[in-house]
Amino acid sequence: MGWLTNWRRRRVLEKHRIEDALWHAATAGLAFIPRSEKLRRLALLFLAEKQLTGAHGLEVTDAMRVSIAAQACLPILELGLDWYAGFTGIVVYPGDFRVRREETDEHGVVHEWDDELAGEAMPGGPVVLSWDAAANDPEINVVIHEFAHKLDMLNGAADGLPPLHPGMDRRAWAAAFEQAYEGFCDALERGKDTWLDPYAAEHPSEFFAVISEAFFEQPAETKRRYPDVYGQLVLFYRQDPHGTIPRGGKDGTAR
Ligand SMILES: [Zn+2]
């Protein structure tokens, strides 16, 4: 990003601040959010540069905006806001929303159906979130999930491989993720209880998004169960949430 962006960001940080009361109200229920002034400043810049819009009559309050910003900025805390370049819109629905799907099969027949979604990240377009899912579903973190997809899409279609940093080994990434993904799908097929959300089996890109949620929300357990993937995520996100997460995180609770 150029000097103009840097200048604008400096101005925003000089002139504005997310007040203590608002920050605490918005993040009080989010045990995995670290007490971090850096995160708070990043969330402020995020809100200055992104456009949050309520859909279906939803009024997006300041607390909702800050809650979404804090969670969305956690994955890019050590990467920077430029990793969310290329889109500005974030659309928030009151609850799950319906999207029309269309697919042409190998016989040229067009199939149409409706999907009920808690979130969606569109390539080159907005992030769409269900506020009900974001606020009330303890099984998923739809904000981290959708923004992880956005990172994945930075180098083309979502495939579970975001742009790796110089020095990271693509083969090590692929080996760790393929082994974990295959093992996960296999366990699911054999009817085993899986610790991760079964939705992760849908596609390698979903596995990346779901395990990114776990990485930030339940780092100790993620590290224990998927040490190689955890190691790759530490390199990619440039954070090691295990040990830095405030006590009271979701680790230790069964799910
Ligand atoms: Zn997804």
Side-chain angles (χ1 to χ4, degrees), residues 145-146 149 199 206 209:
H145 183 103
E146 300 308 332
H149 280 319
Y199 188 66
E206 296 303 343

Side-chain angles (χ1 to χ4, degrees), residues 119-121 145-146 149 199 202 205-207 209-210 213:
E120 190 177 29
H145 183 103
E146 300 308 332
H149 280 319
Y199 188 66
E202 290 278 313
S205 63
E206 296 303 343
F207 189 81
V210 168
E213 299 172 50

Side-chain angles (χ1 to χ4, degrees), residues 17-29 40 62-63 66-67:
R17 187 166 191 279
I18 299 175
E19 294 302 328
D20 287 357
L22 176 58
W23 179 256
H24 292 136
T27 59
R40 199 201 297 209
D62 284 348
V66 171
S67 167

